[in-house]
Amino acid sequence: MDLSISGLIAQFLEIALALLLAPLLTGWVNQCRALLQNKSAPSFLQPYRALHKLFIKESVIADQASSLFRGAPYIVFGCMALASGIIPTVSTDLPLSPAADSIALVGVFALARVFISLAAMDIGTAFGTLGARREMLVGFLAEPALLMVLFSASLVSQSTSLTTIVTVLLHRHPVIYPSLAFAGVAFTMVAVAENARIPVDNPATHLELTMIHEALILEYSGRHLALMEWAASLKLFAYSCIGLALFFPWGIAEASNPSAMILALPALILKLAVGGAALAFFETISAKMRVFRVPEFLAMAFLLAVIGMLVHFILGA
C-alpha cells in the first residue's frame, strides 16, 4: 500500500475513532465509578443518548450573548478534535504530525481553554465568571507541568514530535525508565486536573462553591451544550491517548507497517478500558480537595516532571 494513502487512512481513522470512542470512554468511567460505589450503574452508552437528546433540543441563548458565546462551542470542539488527530493512537503515520508537535498540542488545549473561559464570562453571570477564573488558574499551573512531562519524554527520542517519541519507544526494550516514571506520575496528576476529575473537581456535581467545568457551561443548552459535553469527552480521550502513547505505546502501528492497524484498534480499546477503570478506582478512593489546595497539587506535578528531566540528565535513562 502506498504510504501516502495509508497515512490518510490512518489520519481519518484517528479522528473518527476519537469522535466515536470519546463518549464511550466517558460512559465507561461513569459506569465503573458507580459500580465501585455500590450504586446502580448507568449504561456506558448513556453519553450517546444524552448527546442525541441535546442535539435535537432548541438552544436558549441570553439576549446579551455575543457572537463569541455562540461560536465558542464550535471552536472548542474543533480544537479537541484536532488535538485527537495529532496524537498517535493506532498509527504513527499521520499527515498532521509534521505540522504540530507536542508544544503545539499544548497550545491547542490552551486555545480551547481561552475560548471556553471567555464564553463563560460573556454572559456576565457570577458563576460563569467564577468558573472561568478557576479554569484559567488550573490552566496556568497545569500547562507548565504538562510541558515538562512532554519534554521529559522528548529527551528519550531527542524530538518533540509525538510520533517520533512513540516510534523510538517502540524500538526499545520494555524497561522502566526512571525519568518516565516520574513523568508518568506528574502526567496523571495533570490529566486529572485538566479533565475536572476528583480530587480537583467533581464532574457529577453542581455545587456552586466547588464546581469548575460545570460553571463554564452553565448557560449553554441544546446543540451548544452537546458540543461542549462532546468536547469534554474528547479532551478526556485525548489525554488518555497521550498517556498511552508516552508510557504504554505497545500496539500502535508504525508507518512502515500499515497492516498492523488491524491489531492496533483492539489494543487501543483494551488499554482505554483498563485506563478508564483505573481512573474510576482513583476517583473512588480520593476525596475532593479544597480549591485553594489545587495550586499545591499542580505544583507537585510540576516538581515531579522537573525531577524526571533531572534524572534523565544524571542517569541518561
Side-chain angles (χ1 to χ4, degrees), residues 150-161:
L150 296 173
F151 287 157
S152 298
S154 67
L155 292 174
V156 178
S157 62
Q158 303 299 315
S159 174
T160 57
S161 173

Side-chain angles (χ1 to χ4, degrees), residues 21-33 35-36 44 236-237 240-241 244 248 264-282:
L21 295 181
L24 185 63
L25 177 61
T26 302
W28 170 248
V29 173
N30 293 338
Q31 187 179 62
C32 291
R33 182 180 172 184
L35 290 174
L36 289 172
F44 56 86
L236 177 61
F237 179 86
S240 300
C241 290
L244 296 177
F248 304 96
L265 179 57
L268 172 65
I269 295 176
L270 177 61
K271 290 189 289 186
L272 287 175
V274 174
L279 175 60
F281 177 76
F282 177 77

Side-chain angles (χ1 to χ4, degrees), residues 53-76:
K53 179 179 69 174
L54 290 174
F55 271 119
I56 62 178
K57 282 189 173 182
E58 182 182 0
S59 296
V60 179
I61 301 177
D63 294 334
Q64 63 270 28
S66 67
S67 57
L68 173 65
F69 183 83
R70 295 178 175 88
Y74 301 96
I75 297 175
V76 174

